[in-house]
Amino acid sequence: MATRSVSSSTKLGHALAKVLGIKLHYRDPTGKEDLSRGESVFSVSSADTYVEEEPTVTEWLREVTPSSRQFLLYFWNLFPFFHWIGRYNVQWLFGDLIAGITVGAVVVPQGMAYATLAGLPPQFGLYSSFMGVLVYWLFATSKDITIGPVAVMSTVTGNILAQVAITNPNIPGHVVASALSLICGGIIAFIGLIRAGWIVDFISLAAIAAYMTGSALNIACGQIPTMLGQSGFSTRDSTYLVIIHTLQYLPKCKIDAAMGLTALFLLYVIRSACKYGARRYPSKRKFFFFAQTLRTVFVLLLYTLISWLVNRNHSSKPTFKILGTVPRGFQYAAVPVINKTIISSFASQIPASVIVLLIEHIAIAKSFGRVNNYTINPSQELVGIGVTNLLGPFLGAYPATGSFSRTAINSKAGVRTPLAGVITALVVLLAIYALTAVFFYIPSASLSAVIIHAVLDLITSPNTLYQFWRVSPLEVIIFFAGVLVTVFSSIENGIYTTIIASVAVLLFRVLKAKGRFLGRVKVHSVIGDRVVNNDGKLGEGLGSLSNDHDTSMRNIFLPIEHNDGSNPQIDVESPYPGIYIFRFSEGYNYPNANHYLDYMVATIFAETRRTNPDNYPKLGDRPWNDPGPRRGQPATDHSERPTLKAIILDFSSVNNVDITSVQHLVDVRNQLDFYTAPHRVDWHMACINNRWTKRALASAGFGFPSPDDLTLTRWKAIFSVAEIGGSTSAAAVAERHDIERDVRRRLTVTDVEAGRNEKKTGSDAITREHDSRSESSEGGEFDKDLSSTKAYARQNAKVAVVHGLNRPLFHIDLTSALQSAIANVERRGELEAKGVGTGAV
């Protein structure tokens, strides 16, 4: 029944194609529509045949359509904590307690400081800190990273709130911040849920470094006026303007500068002292680590104490600016307000906000994953960020993402699982409900010093820049471009500049990719002065390299121009007169197809001559772009040049092709066939790694000899074969056991018959003589029988072709492609010498 339905559908499809004028066997290379076995035209008599089936759309749909198991796995992976929570133990809990409390002690002052960057009261930094660490652990694939308010995102949020305050002054800042968090969280969560985390890979390391450096300079310069007690100008202007204004207002510094500069100095002194102590006393390294980590807490507590002593009697008019009242509890917990007016007020800043949230978190998570030997899932990380920013606004939080400084602290403190975030959340919760009274006297200048101290570590060091320069000088230019745009414009524009420049460089490299013509070089592997044979064993000395029977030699293919850095003293042989090997360097698709083939054709025209110089009998027959010599002058003699015979394309760097790139190949093939008329160029394809690429090339007529009348009878097909299974395969072992059993059975039968004969003679002497002879010869005869079997004779091993017989011009490597090309060019010459045809073979 199924066969009948398939047959009916096939007939219906053929009839419909005929009505629509669709050629189902378009460019059929053999001219035989019903050909299904390649060996009917091309065959290998000594090996098993193999016909490669083309991939189908149905097969592709089956591969990309998720199965029920993959659906279940998708939901299982949405909550990674299920993978490890069942094995949670006391040792893990101890590590998480230490790390969680340490990070909690750091995030409380940092959160309040970063909230001031966002133009919000300090309590909103605590709300963001609480929700970030509380929610993320459910979706985390990184044990180290901690989510919460960060300097750069806080600055971006503050810039947005400042713009909205001008255009819509009636909308409270925290409402806009919550709406921004909700929108950005929804976008990022969607990207993560559809498993499109790979989109982050389009952001290069140079772009990330420029963004971090430019942002650090922007934030630090913006906090210096607060640290010095300056006022009267906007600290949210471009960085260079803030620097100019800061210098102009230096005479107007207040006593706040004493609280800020000394706090900043003390922070660096403590850090330097702890680093020195860790080197000087390695046994107390852990103590110095925690002392260094908690230096922010110590400094703020110290300066809060000083502030209390100075301002306790006149807190309404403090001597220097202090943080002020921090409400206890979640005073702004509510359903976020979001409407068209609010969204339109910051719509233009959504892309930059999303990018900032993505860049910092994924970069940090990947970095610490590599350091601590685990792999993150970028898509799942995006789900964690997205859900955090979706739920945070219900408690009054503004956008939060991964923090580099707190993640480093978390890692060094010995965190064991993402559950440490819950412990950090408890510390923040304690601060929100029990420590708000202490926060009242925190000096604003000291808080600015904490911010400056934190962000200056984000600046890319000169040594790192030098390493960038060694790897890719062009990307260093992109780095400086991003930093300069950030300094003279804004963080958002700096981000756009570096990302667009990086993508432009990538597209330019793909668009202007230049292929290479390859030549053949015979090489040997040596250890010391001994040659390594192809079986991996040491052979003779270097003096044996000129031996004609040398088996250690192998062919490699290098660029003829040595532009890959190979030794220019090495003589790269031309593959064969009129045969060219061309390698695609950066894939082969529609953006670079024309550039590749223009270079290839121009080089071939410059190094070969037309097969038939009299192809234009009359002057008027010549095309305008090839007018020939001037009147009265002889044509240029290029008789020393070979004629074009074959082209070998190396597809080792190509994974996919498209309609445009294949059509370019077809056009060039037609152009070169006209150039070599009445012959045709043989096209050999090597190292094709994708079945769909083979299908595309075969549909355009590649992979087969040129389809003239004499081709198939004159074509000399060369295929690569390989041993099936090998001597250690299961089939070979089973065959060995069968042979051993058969040999032993035959020896047993021989012994029985010999015993009967001895009994008939009745001679004990003959019996003893036979027994001794039988015992001595049994082992040798058994070994002789085994050694004569095919199971142990590699020369008689069963072999099969590696690639399909129906694609004789698709080769496994360049060596087999060159062998095939040379063999058929020489075969063509032999037949032409005999006067057999003039067509291509």
Side-chain angles (χ1 to χ4, degrees), residues 368-390:
F368 281 89
R370 285 189 291 266
V371 170
N372 295 315
N373 195 30
Y374 62 85
T375 303
I376 69 158
N377 183 341
S379 297
Q380 186 59 32
E381 290 298 311
L382 297 188
V383 173
I385 305 173
V387 174
T388 297
N389 285 284
L390 282 172

Side-chain angles (χ1 to χ4, degrees), residues 714 716 822-836 841:
R714 289 162 38 177
K716 195 171 185 178
I822 293 175
N824 285 282
V825 167
E826 292 179 347
R827 174 67 171 168
R828 174 190 299 173
E830 294 172 1
L831 294 177
E832 288 179 354
K834 297 177 182 179
V836 181
V841 291

Side-chain angles (χ1 to χ4, degrees), residues 734-781:
E735 185 178 0
R736 176 188 174 92
H737 291 164
D738 291 343
I739 292 170
E740 289 178 352
R741 186 168 58 253
D742 182 63
V743 171
R744 293 187 184 279
R745 183 184 56 78
R746 286 191 286 106
L747 289 177
T748 302
V749 171
T750 301
D751 287 344
V752 171
E753 292 179 351
R756 290 175 181 173
N757 291 334
E758 291 165 4
K759 190 174 182 179
K760 290 179 181 179
T761 60
S763 173
D764 293 338
I766 295 177
T767 301
R768 286 193 299 270
E769 180 182 356
H770 173 77
D771 289 341
S772 62
R773 186 173 65 251
S774 176
E775 290 173 1
S776 63
S777 63
E778 180 177 348
E781 187 174 350

Side-chain angles (χ1 to χ4, degrees), residues 525-812:
S525 297
V526 297
I527 298 179
D529 60 349
R530 301 287 298 279
V531 177
V532 181
N533 292 329
N534 291 332
D535 58 1
K537 298 180 180 178
L538 291 178
E540 301 179 8
L542 293 177
S544 64
L545 296 185
S546 59
N547 187 356
D548 294 337
H549 302 288
D550 181 20
T551 59
S552 64
M553 182 270 294
R554 68 184 189 278
N555 290 325
I556 65 171
F557 296 87
L558 297 177
I560 294 177
E561 298 177 353
H562 289 285
N563 50 10
D564 64 335
S566 57
N567 190 346
Q569 296 179 350
I570 301 297
D571 183 22
V572 181
E573 301 176 1
S574 176
Y576 189 89
I579 296 179
Y580 289 86
I581 302 177
F582 186 76
R583 172 178 290 166
F584 300 110
S585 58
E586 299 246 2
Y588 178 66
N589 296 100
Y590 70 90
N592 54 26
N594 193 62
H595 185 72
Y596 271 133
L597 299 184
D598 282 352
Y599 169 69
M600 185 185 76
V601 171
T603 303
I604 290 174
F605 282 172
E607 297 181 1
T608 61
R609 59 181 172 86
R610 188 180 293 275
T611 302
N612 182 10
D614 301 323
N615 200 35
Y616 303 111
K618 299 179 182 180
L619 182 61
D621 294 336
R622 303 188 72 96
W624 67 272
N625 60 336
D626 185 16
R630 294 181 179 273
R631 290 183 181 273
Q633 294 183 359
T636 306
D637 183 19
H638 294 305
S639 58
E640 77 284 357
R641 298 180 182 177
T643 58
L644 178 61
K645 298 178 178 65
I647 296 175
I648 301 172
L649 298 180
D650 182 359
F651 276 77
S652 56
S653 64
V654 178
N655 189 45
N656 292 290
V657 294
D658 48 56
I659 296 173
T660 306
S661 58
V662 172
Q663 186 59 46
H664 275 297
L665 272 180
V666 173
D667 295 340
V668 169
R669 178 180 61 186
N670 296 336
Q671 179 185 8
L672 295 181
D673 282 346
F674 185 76
Y675 178 72
T676 60
H679 296 162
R680 293 187 178 181
V681 181
D682 298 333
W683 291 78
H684 297 259
M685 314 292 180
C687 307
I688 303 178
N689 303 313
N690 189 304
R691 293 174 62 210
W692 284 94
T693 300
K694 292 181 182 179
R695 166 176 159 156
L697 293 172
S699 68
F702 295 99
F704 315 91
S706 302
D708 57 53
D709 294 336
L710 299 175
T711 294
L712 300 182
T713 59
R714 289 162 38 177
W715 185 259
K716 195 171 185 178
I718 294 180
F719 298 94
S720 297
V721 298
E723 184 178 346
I724 297 178
S727 59
T728 59
S729 66
V733 172
E735 185 178 0
R736 176 188 174 92
H737 291 164
D738 291 343
I739 292 170
E740 289 178 352
R741 186 168 58 253
D742 182 63
V743 171
R744 293 187 184 279
R745 183 184 56 78
R746 286 191 286 106
L747 289 177
T748 302
V749 171
T750 301
D751 287 344
V752 171
E753 292 179 351
R756 290 175 181 173
N757 291 334
E758 291 165 4
K759 190 174 182 179
K760 290 179 181 179
T761 60
S763 173
D764 293 338
I766 295 177
T767 301
R768 286 193 299 270
E769 180 182 356
H770 173 77
D771 289 341
S772 62
R773 186 173 65 251
S774 176
E775 290 173 1
S776 63
S777 63
E778 180 177 348
E781 187 174 350
F782 180 69
D783 294 338
K784 181 179 179 181
D785 286 345
L786 286 180
S787 63
S788 64
T789 63
K790 294 183 179 181
Y792 302 94
R794 294 189 63 85
Q795 63 271 22
N796 294 326
K798 193 174 183 181
V799 296
V801 291
V802 178
H803 280 182
L805 297 177
N806 52 336
R807 301 285 186 266
L809 298 190
F810 290 162
H811 304 280
I812 191 172

